Amino acid sequence: MNHFPLFADLKGRPVVVVGAGPVAERKITLLRAADARVTVSARAAHPRVLARAQAGDISLHLGAFDPALLDEAWLVIAATSDRTQNQCVADAATARHLFCNVVDDPELSSAQVPAIVDRSPLTIAISSGGAAPVIARRLRERIESLLDPALGALAGLARRKRPHIRAARPHLRSRRDFYDWLLDGPVLGALRRGRASEAEALLDQALSTATPAPAGKVLLVGAGPGDPGLLTLRGLRALNEADLILADRLVSPAILALARRDAQVIDVGKAPGGPHESTQARIHALMVSHARQGRCVVRLKGGDPMVFGRGGEELQHLKRHGIAYEVVPGITAALACGAYAGIPLTHRDHAQVLTLATAHRQAQDPGPNDGAGASAADGRTGVHYMGVERLPALCDRLLNEGLSPDLPCALVENGSHPEQRALHATLGSVVKAAHRHAIRSPALVIVGEVAALGMDLAWFGKTLRTPSTSDAAPRSQAA
Ligand code: SAH
């Protein structure tokens, strides 16, 4: 972090602005909005600055800049068009250990003024540390359009009512629920319509209704395949409600960084080959005991919680113990890897049936045909989770079931992560190719004609081909 973000209380505090052109005038307007006592020093002043001085809004010193003006100041802004003059102001400020912003000159500045979205008392400040003010301004425009204009009034009302809210909702959880209701409910609507007293009455009425102590619950949340952009909005909200997050090994740090800062995070990851059953028993116990203490527990899983994620077992456990739960789906690896490797899992010309299977179960229990193998031959796609470690056994099995060694097969490693690699081979060549390129977990095996389309449609990460794949191109639509 290049700059430390800070909101300064300038009420009644002297601030010096050097320069009195249109740029300086904009800074003066902002400083006066924060109720700073503004002194302007300039050789000549813009009529609007003159008018402010005449109205007694600021004090104006016409003539050469006198460094002694800074003796009382808390902050200095240099906004002249003369760099030497600005440098002289910056030097005088530095000599007094005063922060100085030189407009549009990060080199001379010891402080930056951010782009702001003003919903006072709510203020959002955006800074690129002087590196790219245009990006900061563009971002400001976007945020401006996202935020309800009545948000400022709502925050003002919440500030006035804060002691009542604290008293009426002593539990943190119920207080958070109340603030959620404030943001999503009728109070904001009333403020938007300009009905301040109606908004206040609605708030008071809601506060006077007693709420029971919050009951704990478990939110089973899918974190998607890794890219935080693929988390759902509901998932993001759950991360911000959480008191405790029980996170899987596959959940990326970038997603955990989106969680509420004071949420406790426990890594309950199961490394491949680790002692699964004891880890699972511990997860069950943690969910139940923390929910019973009234906490909001987020059980965060890679991909989707109900696809090879033991989500079903965890829900059954919660149900048996009478714990309330909700499920937030996530983008499962098959969908993410297909999309990010340019492999359509179904295609009118190539595949009408899609099977998701786990190579895990097949290795331990070769038992009955699950349909993912034999079916891949004819207009079918088989997607195999947890397949890299067991790739030789998986391929042997599929070949034994009668699949052609020429059938296209793709391995997608770290799907949707910046380091994604997609390896294109055939069922007969993939084991060697995976070994040569040292493909590691997490990776997904996609078997079927559609797999070869990824060689043409890839748009993300690295695409690796093997010589055998040149014969594996799918039938073209025109043929
Ligand atoms: N519930 C998860 C699957 C967990 S099983 C989901 O819905 O995606 C773990 C297996 O998922 C891994 O062995 C791998 O085969 C696959 N997987 C998960 N994330 C992946 C990723 N980013 N890229 C490739 N495969 C992934």
Side-chain angles (χ1 to χ4, degrees), residues 173-194:
R173 267 279 308 288
S174 63
R175 205 149 63 234
R176 231 185 284 138
D177 288 348
F178 183 78
Y179 281 111
D180 277 346
W181 174 81
L182 262 191
L183 270 174
D184 300 331
V187 175
L188 186 64
L191 289 171
R192 202 180 301 127
R193 294 193 305 276

PDB file of all heavy atoms in Angstrom, residues 173-194:
ATOM      1  N   ARG A 173     -25.795 -10.173  16.185  1.00  0.00           N
ATOM      2  CA  ARG A 173     -26.480 -10.787  15.047  1.00  0.00           C
ATOM      3  C   ARG A 173     -27.810 -10.094  14.751  1.00  0.00           C
ATOM      4  O   ARG A 173     -28.122  -9.766  13.615  1.00  0.00           O
ATOM      5  CB  ARG A 173     -26.752 -12.268  15.322  1.00  0.00           C
ATOM      6  CG  ARG A 173     -25.685 -13.205  14.829  1.00  0.00           C
ATOM      7  CD  ARG A 173     -25.807 -13.501  13.329  1.00  0.00           C
ATOM      8  NE  ARG A 173     -27.110 -13.948  12.893  1.00  0.00           N
ATOM      9  CZ  ARG A 173     -27.608 -15.143  13.172  1.00  0.00           C
ATOM     10  NH1 ARG A 173     -26.924 -16.010  13.885  1.00  0.00           N
ATOM     11  NH2 ARG A 173     -28.814 -15.475  12.731  1.00  0.00           N
ATOM     12  N   SER A 174     -28.596  -9.840  15.828  1.00  0.00           N
ATOM     13  CA  SER A 174     -29.912  -9.256  15.585  1.00  0.00           C
ATOM     14  C   SER A 174     -29.742  -7.813  15.122  1.00  0.00           C
ATOM     15  O   SER A 174     -30.537  -7.301  14.341  1.00  0.00           O
ATOM     16  CB  SER A 174     -30.784  -9.344  16.840  1.00  0.00           C
ATOM     17  OG  SER A 174     -30.209  -8.585  17.872  1.00  0.00           O
ATOM     18  N   ARG A 175     -28.665  -7.165  15.608  1.00  0.00           N
ATOM     19  CA  ARG A 175     -28.423  -5.791  15.170  1.00  0.00           C
ATOM     20  C   ARG A 175     -28.075  -5.788  13.676  1.00  0.00           C
ATOM     21  O   ARG A 175     -28.549  -4.957  12.920  1.00  0.00           O
ATOM     22  CB  ARG A 175     -27.257  -5.212  15.974  1.00  0.00           C
ATOM     23  CG  ARG A 175     -27.293  -3.715  16.057  1.00  0.00           C
ATOM     24  CD  ARG A 175     -26.712  -3.203  17.342  1.00  0.00           C
ATOM     25  NE  ARG A 175     -25.312  -3.499  17.523  1.00  0.00           N
ATOM     26  CZ  ARG A 175     -24.808  -4.109  18.577  1.00  0.00           C
ATOM     27  NH1 ARG A 175     -25.606  -4.491  19.559  1.00  0.00           N
ATOM     28  NH2 ARG A 175     -23.532  -4.339  18.670  1.00  0.00           N
ATOM     29  N   ARG A 176     -27.253  -6.775  13.280  1.00  0.00           N
ATOM     30  CA  ARG A 176     -26.880  -6.838  11.858  1.00  0.00           C
ATOM     31  C   ARG A 176     -28.132  -7.091  11.010  1.00  0.00           C
ATOM     32  O   ARG A 176     -28.318  -6.499   9.949  1.00  0.00           O
ATOM     33  CB  ARG A 176     -25.848  -7.943  11.646  1.00  0.00           C
ATOM     34  CG  ARG A 176     -24.641  -7.441  10.890  1.00  0.00           C
ATOM     35  CD  ARG A 176     -23.689  -8.565  10.585  1.00  0.00           C
ATOM     36  NE  ARG A 176     -22.918  -8.969  11.729  1.00  0.00           N
ATOM     37  CZ  ARG A 176     -22.661 -10.247  12.041  1.00  0.00           C
ATOM     38  NH1 ARG A 176     -23.147 -11.230  11.324  1.00  0.00           N
ATOM     39  NH2 ARG A 176     -21.934 -10.531  13.084  1.00  0.00           N
ATOM     40  N   ASP A 177     -29.009  -7.991  11.503  1.00  0.00           N
ATOM     41  CA  ASP A 177     -30.249  -8.252  10.773  1.00  0.00           C
ATOM     42  C   ASP A 177     -31.058  -6.966  10.645  1.00  0.00           C
ATOM     43  O   ASP A 177     -31.666  -6.694   9.608  1.00  0.00           O
ATOM     44  CB  ASP A 177     -31.098  -9.312  11.503  1.00  0.00           C
ATOM     45  CG  ASP A 177     -30.463 -10.699  11.376  1.00  0.00           C
ATOM     46  OD1 ASP A 177     -29.537 -10.848  10.547  1.00  0.00           O
ATOM     47  OD2 ASP A 177     -30.875 -11.603  12.122  1.00  0.00           O
ATOM     48  N   PHE A 178     -31.068  -6.184  11.742  1.00  0.00           N
ATOM     49  CA  PHE A 178     -31.845  -4.943  11.711  1.00  0.00           C
ATOM     50  C   PHE A 178     -31.277  -3.980  10.660  1.00  0.00           C
ATOM     51  O   PHE A 178     -32.023  -3.379   9.878  1.00  0.00           O
ATOM     52  CB  PHE A 178     -31.838  -4.281  13.096  1.00  0.00           C
ATOM     53  CG  PHE A 178     -32.687  -3.043  13.153  1.00  0.00           C
ATOM     54  CD1 PHE A 178     -34.070  -3.138  13.247  1.00  0.00           C
ATOM     55  CD2 PHE A 178     -32.117  -1.785  13.062  1.00  0.00           C
ATOM     56  CE1 PHE A 178     -34.867  -2.006  13.268  1.00  0.00           C
ATOM     57  CE2 PHE A 178     -32.903  -0.641  13.086  1.00  0.00           C
ATOM     58  CZ  PHE A 178     -34.277  -0.754  13.192  1.00  0.00           C
ATOM     59  N   TYR A 179     -29.940  -3.860  10.620  1.00  0.00           N
ATOM     60  CA  TYR A 179     -29.334  -2.971   9.618  1.00  0.00           C
ATOM     61  C   TYR A 179     -29.596  -3.487   8.200  1.00  0.00           C
ATOM     62  O   TYR A 179     -29.789  -2.705   7.271  1.00  0.00           O
ATOM     63  CB  TYR A 179     -27.829  -2.789   9.876  1.00  0.00           C
ATOM     64  CG  TYR A 179     -27.544  -1.792  10.989  1.00  0.00           C
ATOM     65  CD1 TYR A 179     -27.022  -2.187  12.214  1.00  0.00           C
ATOM     66  CD2 TYR A 179     -27.810  -0.428  10.799  1.00  0.00           C
ATOM     67  CE1 TYR A 179     -26.772  -1.277  13.229  1.00  0.00           C
ATOM     68  CE2 TYR A 179     -27.569   0.495  11.814  1.00  0.00           C
ATOM     69  CZ  TYR A 179     -27.046   0.068  13.031  1.00  0.00           C
ATOM     70  OH  TYR A 179     -26.810   0.977  14.024  1.00  0.00           O
ATOM     71  N   ASP A 180     -29.614  -4.816   8.037  1.00  0.00           N
ATOM     72  CA  ASP A 180     -29.961  -5.379   6.725  1.00  0.00           C
ATOM     73  C   ASP A 180     -31.362  -4.947   6.329  1.00  0.00           C
ATOM     74  O   ASP A 180     -31.620  -4.546   5.200  1.00  0.00           O
ATOM     75  CB  ASP A 180     -29.923  -6.927   6.768  1.00  0.00           C
ATOM     76  CG  ASP A 180     -28.510  -7.446   6.580  1.00  0.00           C
ATOM     77  OD1 ASP A 180     -27.650  -6.652   6.161  1.00  0.00           O
ATOM     78  OD2 ASP A 180     -28.276  -8.634   6.880  1.00  0.00           O
ATOM     79  N   TRP A 181     -32.264  -5.039   7.316  1.00  0.00           N
ATOM     80  CA  TRP A 181     -33.654  -4.655   7.059  1.00  0.00           C
ATOM     81  C   TRP A 181     -33.713  -3.158   6.687  1.00  0.00           C
ATOM     82  O   TRP A 181     -34.441  -2.761   5.782  1.00  0.00           O
ATOM     83  CB  TRP A 181     -34.500  -4.951   8.313  1.00  0.00           C
ATOM     84  CG  TRP A 181     -35.913  -4.453   8.204  1.00  0.00           C
ATOM     85  CD1 TRP A 181     -36.954  -5.064   7.567  1.00  0.00           C
ATOM     86  CD2 TRP A 181     -36.425  -3.227   8.738  1.00  0.00           C
ATOM     87  NE1 TRP A 181     -38.080  -4.297   7.663  1.00  0.00           N
ATOM     88  CE2 TRP A 181     -37.789  -3.154   8.385  1.00  0.00           C
ATOM     89  CE3 TRP A 181     -35.870  -2.173   9.481  1.00  0.00           C
ATOM     90  CZ2 TRP A 181     -38.610  -2.085   8.738  1.00  0.00           C
ATOM     91  CZ3 TRP A 181     -36.685  -1.114   9.837  1.00  0.00           C
ATOM     92  CH2 TRP A 181     -38.029  -1.076   9.466  1.00  0.00           C
ATOM     93  N   LEU A 182     -32.932  -2.340   7.389  1.00  0.00           N
ATOM     94  CA  LEU A 182     -32.892  -0.907   7.080  1.00  0.00           C
ATOM     95  C   LEU A 182     -32.482  -0.682   5.627  1.00  0.00           C
ATOM     96  O   LEU A 182     -33.079   0.131   4.917  1.00  0.00           O
ATOM     97  CB  LEU A 182     -31.860  -0.208   7.971  1.00  0.00           C
ATOM     98  CG  LEU A 182     -32.323   0.501   9.230  1.00  0.00           C
ATOM     99  CD1 LEU A 182     -31.180   1.336   9.797  1.00  0.00           C
ATOM    100  CD2 LEU A 182     -33.518   1.395   8.951  1.00  0.00           C
ATOM    101  N   LEU A 183     -31.453  -1.418   5.201  1.00  0.00           N
ATOM    102  CA  LEU A 183     -30.928  -1.224   3.844  1.00  0.00           C
ATOM    103  C   LEU A 183     -31.879  -1.750   2.771  1.00  0.00           C
ATOM    104  O   LEU A 183     -31.970  -1.190   1.688  1.00  0.00           O
ATOM    105  CB  LEU A 183     -29.593  -1.953   3.696  1.00  0.00           C
ATOM    106  CG  LEU A 183     -28.342  -1.148   4.037  1.00  0.00           C
ATOM    107  CD1 LEU A 183     -27.124  -2.041   3.973  1.00  0.00           C
ATOM    108  CD2 LEU A 183     -28.161   0.028   3.079  1.00  0.00           C
ATOM    109  N   ASP A 184     -32.555  -2.862   3.098  1.00  0.00           N
ATOM    110  CA  ASP A 184     -33.353  -3.525   2.064  1.00  0.00           C
ATOM    111  C   ASP A 184     -34.838  -3.180   2.149  1.00  0.00           C
ATOM    112  O   ASP A 184     -35.580  -3.434   1.214  1.00  0.00           O
ATOM    113  CB  ASP A 184     -33.222  -5.062   2.192  1.00  0.00           C
ATOM    114  CG  ASP A 184     -31.783  -5.513   2.040  1.00  0.00           C
ATOM    115  OD1 ASP A 184     -31.048  -4.809   1.338  1.00  0.00           O
ATOM    116  OD2 ASP A 184     -31.412  -6.541   2.631  1.00  0.00           O
ATOM    117  N   GLY A 185     -35.255  -2.622   3.267  1.00  0.00           N
ATOM    118  CA  GLY A 185     -36.687  -2.526   3.538  1.00  0.00           C
ATOM    119  C   GLY A 185     -37.299  -1.180   3.214  1.00  0.00           C
ATOM    120  O   GLY A 185     -36.750  -0.387   2.449  1.00  0.00           O
ATOM    121  N   PRO A 186     -38.457  -0.931   3.840  1.00  0.00           N
ATOM    122  CA  PRO A 186     -39.275   0.226   3.472  1.00  0.00           C
ATOM    123  C   PRO A 186     -38.706   1.580   3.917  1.00  0.00           C
ATOM    124  O   PRO A 186     -39.118   2.604   3.381  1.00  0.00           O
ATOM    125  CB  PRO A 186     -40.604  -0.048   4.187  1.00  0.00           C
ATOM    126  CG  PRO A 186     -40.243  -0.937   5.333  1.00  0.00           C
ATOM    127  CD  PRO A 186     -39.073  -1.752   4.890  1.00  0.00           C
ATOM    128  N   VAL A 187     -37.776   1.584   4.866  1.00  0.00           N
ATOM    129  CA  VAL A 187     -37.254   2.866   5.361  1.00  0.00           C
ATOM    130  C   VAL A 187     -36.524   3.612   4.246  1.00  0.00           C
ATOM    131  O   VAL A 187     -36.752   4.803   4.000  1.00  0.00           O
ATOM    132  CB  VAL A 187     -36.318   2.654   6.576  1.00  0.00           C
ATOM    133  CG1 VAL A 187     -35.691   3.958   7.023  1.00  0.00           C
ATOM    134  CG2 VAL A 187     -37.105   2.039   7.730  1.00  0.00           C
ATOM    135  N   LEU A 188     -35.674   2.891   3.530  1.00  0.00           N
ATOM    136  CA  LEU A 188     -34.921   3.517   2.440  1.00  0.00           C
ATOM    137  C   LEU A 188     -35.884   4.022   1.365  1.00  0.00           C
ATOM    138  O   LEU A 188     -35.718   5.117   0.822  1.00  0.00           O
ATOM    139  CB  LEU A 188     -33.916   2.524   1.846  1.00  0.00           C
ATOM    140  CG  LEU A 188     -32.955   3.091   0.800  1.00  0.00           C
ATOM    141  CD1 LEU A 188     -32.038   4.141   1.401  1.00  0.00           C
ATOM    142  CD2 LEU A 188     -32.113   1.991   0.159  1.00  0.00           C
ATOM    143  N   GLY A 189     -36.918   3.215   1.097  1.00  0.00           N
ATOM    144  CA  GLY A 189     -37.920   3.613   0.101  1.00  0.00           C
ATOM    145  C   GLY A 189     -38.603   4.922   0.496  1.00  0.00           C
ATOM    146  O   GLY A 189     -38.784   5.816  -0.325  1.00  0.00           O
ATOM    147  N   ALA A 190     -38.964   5.025   1.781  1.00  0.00           N
ATOM    148  CA  ALA A 190     -39.629   6.251   2.258  1.00  0.00           C
ATOM    149  C   ALA A 190     -38.697   7.456   2.101  1.00  0.00           C
ATOM    150  O   ALA A 190     -39.120   8.532   1.674  1.00  0.00           O
ATOM    151  CB  ALA A 190     -40.052   6.075   3.718  1.00  0.00           C
ATOM    152  N   LEU A 191     -37.434   7.258   2.430  1.00  0.00           N
ATOM    153  CA  LEU A 191     -36.468   8.362   2.291  1.00  0.00           C
ATOM    154  C   LEU A 191     -36.304   8.760   0.823  1.00  0.00           C
ATOM    155  O   LEU A 191     -36.203   9.935   0.484  1.00  0.00           O
ATOM    156  CB  LEU A 191     -35.106   7.961   2.866  1.00  0.00           C
ATOM    157  CG  LEU A 191     -35.061   7.852   4.396  1.00  0.00           C
ATOM    158  CD1 LEU A 191     -33.751   7.232   4.853  1.00  0.00           C
ATOM    159  CD2 LEU A 191     -35.242   9.236   5.038  1.00  0.00           C
ATOM    160  N   ARG A 192     -36.320   7.753  -0.040  1.00  0.00           N
ATOM    161  CA  ARG A 192     -36.172   8.033  -1.470  1.00  0.00           C
ATOM    162  C   ARG A 192     -37.336   8.882  -1.959  1.00  0.00           C
ATOM    163  O   ARG A 192     -37.189   9.731  -2.826  1.00  0.00           O
ATOM    164  CB  ARG A 192     -36.114   6.703  -2.238  1.00  0.00           C
ATOM    165  CG  ARG A 192     -35.449   6.824  -3.602  1.00  0.00           C
ATOM    166  CD  ARG A 192     -35.414   5.495  -4.313  1.00  0.00           C
ATOM    167  NE  ARG A 192     -34.693   4.463  -3.585  1.00  0.00           N
ATOM    168  CZ  ARG A 192     -35.200   3.264  -3.295  1.00  0.00           C
ATOM    169  NH1 ARG A 192     -36.436   2.940  -3.631  1.00  0.00           N
ATOM    170  NH2 ARG A 192     -34.480   2.383  -2.647  1.00  0.00           N
ATOM    171  N   ARG A 193     -38.511   8.653  -1.364  1.00  0.00           N
ATOM    172  CA  ARG A 193     -39.682   9.440  -1.767  1.00  0.00           C
ATOM    173  C   ARG A 193     -39.736  10.771  -1.027  1.00  0.00           C
ATOM    174  O   ARG A 193     -40.719  11.510  -1.150  1.00  0.00           O
ATOM    175  CB  ARG A 193     -40.962   8.634  -1.488  1.00  0.00           C
ATOM    176  CG  ARG A 193     -41.108   7.386  -2.340  1.00  0.00           C
ATOM    177  CD  ARG A 193     -42.524   6.826  -2.255  1.00  0.00           C
ATOM    178  NE  ARG A 193     -42.931   6.568  -0.867  1.00  0.00           N
ATOM    179  CZ  ARG A 193     -42.649   5.453  -0.185  1.00  0.00           C
ATOM    180  NH1 ARG A 193     -41.950   4.498  -0.758  1.00  0.00           N
ATOM    181  NH2 ARG A 193     -43.046   5.291   1.052  1.00  0.00           N
ATOM    182  N   GLY A 194     -38.705  11.050  -0.234  1.00  0.00           N
ATOM    183  CA  GLY A 194     -38.659  12.328   0.475  1.00  0.00           C
ATOM    184  C   GLY A 194     -39.541  12.355   1.713  1.00  0.00           C
ATOM    185  O   GLY A 194     -39.929  13.425   2.187  1.00  0.00           O
TER     186      GLY A 194
END
